[in-house]
């Protein structure tokens, strides 16, 4: 236990040292002409990272905020990481464009993830786990139109493809199965509804943000989906139609009227609608801090998270947070003792931008049954 805690302390110390050393990589470039309101702020941070799937890795965090005027704001996030302990890697690009009456987004991801899956999730008895390998690409674009003050509605498209999703079933004890690989391509129309009363899109200190997104998946849209059939063999699905619904509700309150002390809360539901294949189920470790394995997964995930963010200087702050989640296949087993996924933790913040309260963050969380993990990133977790 002492060695474990020493490792955690050393990681936090390393993160602090790297954050301070990266101050020279941040920039705030204001226009020389005072009548030109354009401003570009950015930060680039190459550093060590740890994530539940990627584990120990080398990463680059980057954030660019471009303010053209009060009605036009561009936010770009870039993340790239290569695991040092397994073949996993990830690259993400996220672009959000805010206009007076329109909002747009273009997001892309390329990844290879080596993870664990529970046998119970594919209908096999026992509590064993087996290895999985996912090679996936993702591209999303959408547009939302302002309908009334704070209210938006829109539509978009997602294209997701899996080069292969391999399940190493031969690793299981007392089960005579071969490894299985399935392929997937999903072209998903989506509709979105949104309400936004936040005072700031980058670092909100007051207001509410609610968004609901529904994705529709069908072979009629050009999707190709393989599933696990009898004898754990891949079977090409035909004539299918199902959906995925994502609801997020966030609220913010400043205790002192500034960004220095903010209480933030988030409720999220990620639910499958219809016959959703196991490979598209929700894993708690992807959304709730404190979980690292694929044991807690299901067709639907619900969780509530509360976080207090407190800065003690202009640069340095901390957070404390707690989460209460439920995950499962159906409502009666999701909201049960077995589906419960609680977590709690604390984190460190180091502000890396002068013009915006954008901080480098390190969080440590503990989940159920002794699971725990550490997290790094730019900006707040939500």
């Amino acid at each position: 236990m002492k060695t474990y805690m020493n490792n955690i302390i050393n990681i936090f110390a390393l993160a602090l040292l790297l954050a301070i050393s990266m101050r020279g990589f941040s920039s705030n470039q204001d226009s020389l002409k005072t009548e030109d309101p354009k401003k570009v702020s950015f930060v680039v941070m190459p550093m060590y990272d740890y994530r539940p799937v990627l584990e120990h890795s080398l990463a680059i965090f980057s954030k660019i905020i471009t303010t053209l005027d009060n009605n036009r704001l561009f936010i770009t996030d870039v993340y790239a990481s290569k695991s040092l302990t397994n073949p996993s890697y990830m690259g993400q690009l996220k672009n959000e464009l805010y206009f007076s009456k329109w909002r747009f987004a273009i997001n892309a991801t390329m990844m290879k993830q080596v993870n664990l899956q529970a046998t119970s999730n594919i209908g096999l008895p026992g509590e064993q786990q087996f290895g999985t390998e996912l090679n996936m690409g993702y591209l999303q674009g959408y547009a939302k139109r302002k309908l009334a003050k704070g209210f938006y509605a829109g539509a978009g498209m997602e294209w997701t493809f899996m080069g292969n999703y391999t399940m190493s079933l031969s690793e299981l004890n007392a089960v005579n199965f071969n490894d299985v690989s399935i392929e997937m391509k999903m072209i998903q129309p989506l509709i979105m509804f949104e309400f936004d009363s936040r005072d700031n899109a980058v670092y909100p200190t007051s207001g509410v943000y609610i968004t609901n997104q529904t994705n529709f998946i069908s072979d009629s849209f050009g999707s190709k989906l393989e599933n696990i059939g009898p004898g754990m063999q891949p079977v090409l699905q035909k004539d299918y139609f199902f959906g995925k619904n994502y609801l997020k509700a966030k609220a913010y309150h400043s205790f002192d009227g500034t960004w220095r002390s903010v209480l933030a809360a988030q409720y999220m539901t990620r639910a499958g609608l219809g016959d959703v294949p196991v490979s598209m189920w929700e894993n708690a470790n992807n959304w709730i801090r404190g979980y690292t394995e694929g044991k807690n997964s299901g067709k639907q995930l619900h969780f509530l998270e509360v976080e207090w963010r407190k800065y003690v200087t202009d640069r340095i702050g901390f957070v404390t947070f707690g989460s209460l989640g439920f995950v499962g296949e159906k409502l009666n087993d999701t909201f049960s003792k077995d589906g419960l996924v609680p977590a709690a933790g604390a984190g460190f913040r180091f502000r890396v931008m002068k013009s915006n309260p954008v901080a480098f963050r390190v969080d440590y969380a503990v989940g159920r049954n002794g699971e725990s993990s550490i997290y790094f990133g730019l900006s707040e977790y939500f």
Side-chain angles (χ1 to χ4, degrees):
M1 181 66 179
K2 183 177 180 180
T3 302
Y4 182 75
M5 289 306 300
N6 286 339
N7 289 337
I8 296 299
I9 293 172
N10 290 336
I11 290 174
F12 270 82
L14 174 61
L16 175 59
L17 179 62
L18 286 170
I20 295 173
S21 67
M22 287 302 110
R23 289 180 61 183
F25 285 82
S26 65
S27 175
N28 180 31
Q29 299 176 345
D30 293 341
S31 173
L32 297 177
K33 296 181 180 180
T34 57
E35 66 271 15
D36 183 359
K38 183 170 64 174
K39 180 189 293 183
V40 179
S41 302
F42 69 90
V43 60
V44 180
M45 298 181 65
M47 60 168 295
Y48 162 85
D49 189 19
Y50 180 87
R51 299 197 174 196
V53 174
L54 295 171
E55 297 182 345
H56 304 280
S57 59
L58 293 177
I60 295 177
F61 297 87
S62 177
K63 193 176 193 75
I64 305 169
I65 302 172
T66 305
T67 305
L68 298 182
D69 52 43
N70 291 333
N71 293 321
R72 291 181 294 174
L73 175 69
F74 303 161
I75 303 174
T76 299
D77 290 276
V78 179
Y79 171 80
S81 183
K82 175 64 179 73
S83 175
L84 298 174
T85 54
N86 66 52
S88 299
Y89 63 83
M90 181 182 295
Q92 293 179 320
L93 173 66
K94 182 179 180 181
N95 289 283
E96 296 177 299
L97 295 81
Y98 295 83
F99 295 88
S100 58
K101 294 185 178 181
W102 286 91
R103 293 182 174 183
F104 302 92
I106 301 174
N107 305 314
T109 297
M110 288 291 294
M111 69 174 70
K112 179 178 183 177
Q113 291 189 349
V114 178
N115 206 352
L116 294 174
Q117 181 74 264
T119 52
S120 58
N121 290 340
I122 58 172
L124 294 177
E127 298 296 328
Q128 296 186 67
Q129 289 184 299
F130 58 92
T132 65
E133 181 178 311
L134 170 64
N135 294 273
M136 190 185 83
Y138 164 89
L139 181 64
Q140 180 197 66
Y142 60 79
K144 292 177 283 188
R145 179 69 162 84
K146 187 175 183 179
L147 303 179
K149 185 178 181 180
F151 289 92
Y152 297 80
M157 187 71 70
E158 289 187 13
W159 175 49
T160 305
F161 65 90
M162 294 183 184
N164 59 71
Y165 178 71
T166 302
M167 294 179 285
S168 301
L169 301 178
S170 60
E171 299 175 354
L172 299 175
N173 297 325
V175 178
N176 187 22
F177 285 131
N178 296 319
D179 295 345
V180 176
S181 293
I182 60 177
E183 295 185 5
M184 186 181 298
K185 179 182 72 174
M186 289 178 292
I187 301 173
Q188 310 169 60
L190 61 91
I191 57 173
M192 307 181 74
F193 299 95
E194 180 180 290
F195 173 76
D196 190 357
S197 66
R198 296 173 297 174
D199 60 338
N200 189 285
V202 178
Y203 189 95
T205 62
S206 65
V208 174
Y209 178 73
I210 303 172
T211 179
N212 191 89
Q213 174 182 320
T214 305
N215 291 31
F216 302 98
I217 301 101
S218 171
D219 54 350
S220 300
F221 304 139
S223 297
K224 177 182 178 181
L225 181 62
E226 288 186 340
N227 204 355
I228 297 299
M232 293 294 151
Q233 295 301 311
V235 176
L236 181 64
Q237 287 190 266
K238 296 182 178 180
D239 301 323
Y240 57 87
F241 181 88
F242 61 92
K244 300 274 285 184
N245 194 77
Y246 311 116
L247 170 66
K248 288 189 292 185
K250 305 177 184 180
Y252 305 89
H253 172 73
S254 172
F255 289 114
D256 59 2
T258 73
W259 54 272
R260 291 177 176 272
S261 182
V262 176
L263 182 68
Q266 170 181 235
Y267 173 77
M268 182 182 292
T269 294
R270 300 179 61 86
L273 309 173
D275 188 16
V276 181
V278 173
S279 57
M280 293 182 64
W281 282 13
E282 302 295 334
N283 276 303
N285 63 300
N286 288 334
W287 303 100
I288 301 177
R289 286 171 286 186
Y291 291 88
T292 59
E293 305 292 350
K295 293 180 291 186
N296 303 290
S297 64
K299 198 158 79 170
Q300 55 184 302
L301 170 67
H302 310 263
F303 70 91
L304 173 67
E305 189 167 23
V306 179
E307 180 173 281
W308 178 41
R309 303 162 183 170
K310 174 63 177 177
Y311 276 80
V312 293
T313 71
D314 289 341
R315 291 273 186 179
I316 296 176
F318 66 88
V319 302
T320 58
F321 57 88
S323 304
L324 180 63
F326 296 89
V327 62
E329 183 177 359
K330 300 177 181 179
L331 280 178
N332 59 349
D333 58 36
T334 298
F335 293 97
S336 66
K337 181 179 178 181
D338 292 336
L340 178 65
V341 279
F348 165 81
R349 299 293 184 270
F350 182 81
R351 182 170 169 174
V352 293
M353 275 190 183
K354 292 182 180 180
S355 57
N356 293 280
V358 173
F360 163 74
R361 60 178 165 86
V362 186
D363 294 333
Y364 178 70
V366 177
R368 187 178 177 179
N369 298 326
E371 284 199 55
S372 63
S373 189
I374 192 166
Y375 303 83
F376 300 85
L378 278 177
S379 299
E380 297 302 332
Y381 196 73
F382 64 91

